[in-house]
Amino acid sequence: VLRLHDERVVVAFGQRDGIRVGHAVLAINGAEVNGRFTADGKDVLEFLGNPANYPVSIRFGRHRLSSNEKLMLASMLFAIGSQLSPEVGSSGIEMLETDTFKLHCFQTLTGIKFVVLADPRQAGIDSLLRKIYEIYSDFALKNPFYSLEMPIRCELFDQNLKLALEVAEKAGPFGPGS
Amino acid sequence: MSRPPGRKQENHKISRELFVLTYGALVAQLCKDYEKDEDVNICLDRMGYGIGIRLIDDFLARSAVKKCRSYSETVDMIAQVAFKMYLGVTASVSCSSAAGNEFSLILDKNPLVDFVEELPAERASLCYCNLLCGVIRGALEMVHLAAEVTFLQDRLKGDAVTEIGITFLRKAEDRKHRRN
């Protein structure tokens, strides 16, 4: 059972074959959809409701968050965190735990927030966060062509970040593949 | 990857002579570009500011210091830890106002001027190390402390000591606390 949600066509009910509730329609007949419209501009629900278009192959999956959405969610999270605190002058959210993931946050004295989403069993995230701070201060800040507060598009930063993530994954108690 | 993970950068030091020469070349070029000493000073301060806003995160990341709870703790941190880390020297601190927001850093040794004895006559009001003031100002601003940083005394100008004055202005965070 499909319905429209947030400009995307998502599964409302009827989980099966690895397709879960909440999964969005990602592609129809091999062509990626654009929100609620197919690649050639037709409305997805209309298209799927018309038997003349069958057989049809649909790819489902988790909708990937855009950078903008990530930024919005992150700032909402931190605004809520600092306002909910019963104590004055709380530093903000440090860790958020769910059954499927753990969100770790490290806030610097300059107000930068580093957020890592990891497997709940993954260890060593604290030192990973500090390592990421070092990598940021080296390869982003020391790059004279990087402007503060802008998205980081520095090759060296990405490379070293990837390396640090690999090291952290191997160090965790459950090995790579979290 | 050929490099082992977690490589330390400590063994990649550049020579101090190169740094001092580079700084000297910078000041010399600015003197050619600007006639007035005041313009050179402003330029040096601005450059220093640009360095300070980036250097602060490097300092915090590497020194892992805790948040300072007072102006005097902050100035001590600058004089003892930061100066040591970046210039290899420490400065002594004194508080020069009853309000507790004006401080002085006395620099006994200043590596930047190791090879400069005194200013030329036509550059009498040049603050040779004004870059340092900008760095301190920029760094403080990034941790939400507005301050004015200037040279109060300068050995290059014939004073007895080299003294940097830091005056903390109204803290931006005060407004945030009142909202709570």
Side-chain angles (χ1 to χ4, degrees):
Chain A
V1 176
L2 300 175
R3 66 180 174 91
L4 202 55
H5 171 75
D6 251 0
E7 286 310 299
R8 289 190 297 276
V9 179
V10 295
V11 176
F13 199 71
Q15 253 175 219
R16 67 177 206 181
D17 297 339
I19 302 171
R20 327 259 315 256
V21 169
H23 274 192
V25 171
L26 297 181
I28 292 183
N29 291 336
E32 280 191 18
V33 306
N34 187 1
R36 55 180 293 183
F37 297 106
T38 64
D40 36 342
K42 303 198 194 66
D43 184 288
V44 167
L45 286 170
E46 268 182 45
F47 185 84
L48 295 176
N50 186 353
N53 293 318
Y54 299 169
V56 67
S57 123
I58 312 176
R59 178 155 58 91
F60 290 94
R62 285 220 54 204
H63 166 72
R64 305 242 52 189
L65 291 170
S66 74
S67 314
N68 248 4
E69 283 171 324
K70 283 184 191 157
L71 277 174
M72 277 197 325
L73 289 170
S75 36
M76 268 196 279
L77 186 68
F78 294 114
I80 292 173
S82 59
Q83 285 176 26
L84 273 180
S85 168
E87 297 266 325
V88 169
S90 162
S91 62
I93 293 184
E94 280 180 11
M95 213 232 302
L96 193 104
E97 190 167 353
T98 74
D99 56 347
T100 47
F101 74 92
K102 244 191 198 172
L103 177 146
H104 301 254
C105 175
F106 171 60
Q107 214 173 155
T108 69
L109 292 172
T110 47
I112 304 174
K113 298 169 189 49
F114 294 97
V115 179
V116 168
L117 290 129
D119 189 284
R121 299 159 297 172
Q122 181 77 42
I125 299 289
D126 275 342
S127 61
L128 173 65
L129 283 166
R130 271 151 196 70
K131 181 85 190 123
I132 296 178
Y133 190 20
E134 275 181 36
I135 295 176
Y136 167 74
S137 87
D138 279 344
F139 299 104
L141 290 185
K142 294 197 182 74
N143 181 339
F145 304 112
Y146 165 68
S147 321
L148 261 54
E149 317 220 342
M150 289 284 115
I152 302 172
R153 304 203 196 291
C154 309
E155 186 64 50
L156 284 173
F157 176 78
D158 293 333
Q159 279 174 14
N160 280 272
L161 182 61
K162 192 152 171 281
L163 194 56
L165 289 173
E166 283 164 15
V167 169
E169 267 186 279
K170 290 200 189 90
F174 290 88
S178 50
Chain B
M1 285 246 164
S2 53
R3 256 193 246 148
R7 70 186 165 96
K8 293 284 169 200
Q9 286 186 294
E10 267 69 56
N11 26 343
H12 297 162
K13 282 191 155 71
I14 312 183
S15 94
R16 160 201 167 127
E17 276 72 23
L18 181 59
F19 174 65
V20 174
L21 277 171
T22 306
Y23 188 74
L26 176 74
V27 178
Q29 185 60 48
L30 284 176
C31 288
K32 286 202 193 95
D33 291 342
Y34 296 100
E35 263 191 44
K36 293 206 273 191
D37 292 345
E38 204 37 55
D39 291 336
V40 179
N41 291 341
I42 290 176
C43 209
L44 282 171
D45 183 84
R46 219 184 303 134
M47 279 191 218
Y49 177 80
I51 295 176
I53 58 177
R54 294 170 182 248
L55 196 70
I56 179 67
D57 276 312
D58 180 82
F59 173 67
L60 293 173
R62 284 183 208 295
S63 63
V65 292
K66 296 271 175 296
K67 182 169 175 152
C68 289
R69 296 272 162 210
S70 68
Y71 290 144
S72 78
E73 251 188 79
T74 309
V75 183
D76 280 334
M77 189 69 70
I78 297 176
Q80 306 294 321
V81 189
F83 265 64
K84 184 82 191 156
M85 197 188 277
Y86 293 110
L87 289 173
V89 295
T90 54
S92 51
V93 179
S94 67
C95 178
S96 50
S97 86
N101 66 329
E102 280 175 36
F103 295 85
S104 287
L105 290 175
I106 313 272
L107 269 174
D108 202 29
K109 277 164 51 136
N110 182 356
L112 286 177
V113 301
D114 268 352
F115 306 120
V116 181
E117 208 181 14
E118 57 180 20
L119 296 171
E122 64 274 16
R123 288 286 176 192
S125 30
L126 175 68
C127 291
Y128 188 80
C129 298
N130 220 28
L131 194 92
L132 284 182
C133 294
V135 172
I136 297 174
R137 184 169 65 86
L140 285 172
E141 190 171 301
M142 292 304 274
V143 287
H144 315 296
L145 290 171
E148 267 170 23
V149 188
T150 49
F151 271 94
L152 298 175
Q153 292 192 75
D154 197 344
R155 273 225 192 92
L156 285 183
K157 296 195 179 118
D159 295 321
V161 292
T162 300
E163 185 183 348
I164 300 178
I166 304 179
T167 305
F168 289 97
L169 309 169
R170 185 172 180 74
K171 249 174 94 163
E173 280 200 306
D174 285 350
R175 278 183 268 133
K176 221 203 294 173
H177 284 148
R178 261 191 260 126
R179 232 195 294 142
N180 284 348

